[in-house]
Amino acid sequence: MSDFIRFFIPIYFVLFFAVSFLGISIAVANKIGKNPNVLPKDGSAYALVGWYFKIILAVLFIYTILPLVFPTVGEDLKIHLFDRNFFRYTGIGLMLIAFIWVVIAQIQMKTSWRIGIDNHMKTELVTTGLFQYSRNPVFLGMTLSLIGFFFTFPTVIAFFLLITGNILMQIQIRLEEEHLLRQHGSVYFAYKKRVARMLNLY
């Protein structure tokens, strides 16, 4: 099982970012004629959030690749309470579900997909498909993916990535909500009242 996880995790995240970030971004860029990555590069607080996102992604990528070269990496940092096959299988399942969920959500966003907040082009408010159940299905999927990663490889570093990544996503969600409220007004306000931030449980 440990050998499978050692190869599964890096392959998973390489595919995850290749498809859900690079692939989707290229497809959207071809349709709208601009790069959908609109994270600011100035000295603003929002730009700092984007910079932290990039650091977390870099750490995640390095940390998932290391076991391929050093099979015992992280063994001394394991949280033994979660070091059980039940959690490992659950984690793998969550990661696979999250991957499919995120890609479906991005496809349903069509040309509204952005990495960051687009202040120059008005995007359509998507409220159908997975967006009937979650206002932020992409962030929900990314959160599930990090939870699955922690269950599959339960180390202190994986837990740190889960907590830090979730905090940054929650900040980004709130910034995007303010932007969408300014852009779509009462239509977004009504949608916000109808659909939960992460997942409708009723």
Side-chain angles (χ1 to χ4, degrees):
M1 185 66 175
S2 59
D3 284 338
F4 170 78
I5 289 173
R6 188 160 62 94
F7 287 96
F8 169 77
I9 290 176
I11 291 171
Y12 172 86
F13 280 110
V14 167
L15 287 175
F16 189 100
F17 290 112
V19 174
S20 66
F21 282 89
L22 184 60
I24 297 291
S25 294
I26 291 172
V28 172
N30 289 334
K31 291 179 181 178
I32 66 175
K34 60 176 281 188
N35 188 349
N37 183 351
V38 290
L39 286 171
K41 298 178 181 179
D42 52 25
S44 65
Y46 177 38
L48 186 62
V49 172
W51 189 72
Y52 284 145
F53 255 124
K54 293 173 184 176
I55 291 176
I56 290 297
L57 290 177
V59 172
L60 176 63
F61 180 76
I62 292 169
Y63 190 58
T64 56
I65 293 295
L66 278 177
L68 289 177
V69 183
F70 306 102
T72 59
V73 70
E75 289 295 324
D76 54 341
L77 297 173
K78 279 196 172 179
I79 301 174
H80 295 289
L81 176 65
F82 296 97
D83 191 19
R84 291 171 169 77
N85 280 338
F86 170 77
F87 288 111
R88 279 188 277 271
Y89 288 124
T90 301
I92 291 170
L94 284 175
M95 290 171 75
L96 294 174
I97 291 169
F99 187 7
I100 295 168
W101 177 276
V102 167
V103 172
I104 291 173
Q106 289 173 319
I107 290 171
Q108 290 175 344
M109 287 185 77
K110 300 177 182 176
T111 57
S112 293
W113 160 250
R114 295 292 188 277
I115 300 174
I117 296 171
D118 193 341
N119 290 310
H120 302 289
M121 181 183 290
K122 186 174 181 178
T123 56
E124 179 187 353
L125 180 63
V126 181
T127 60
T128 57
L130 297 182
F131 291 83
Q132 298 177 81
Y133 312 105
S134 170
R135 298 203 308 268
N136 300 279
V138 174
F139 285 121
L140 174 59
M142 290 171 65
T143 302
L144 287 177
S145 182
L146 288 176
I147 293 172
F149 172 51
F150 170 68
F151 281 171
T152 306
F153 195 52
T155 67
V156 173
I157 295 176
F159 184 71
F160 168 79
L161 290 170
L162 167 61
I163 298 301
T164 308
N166 189 55
I167 290 172
L168 291 173
M169 282 187 276
Q170 290 300 321
I171 293 172
Q172 179 68 22
I173 285 170
R174 283 154 179 78
L175 290 170
E176 291 185 5
E177 285 180 345
E178 291 178 2
H179 169 74
L180 289 170
L181 189 58
R182 289 192 301 269
Q183 194 174 71
H184 297 282
S186 59
V187 176
Y188 180 73
F189 184 75
Y191 172 63
K192 187 177 179 181
K193 289 182 67 175
R194 187 173 72 253
V195 179
R197 176 175 283 136
M198 296 304 282
L199 186 65
N200 279 358
L201 298 176
Y202 52 86

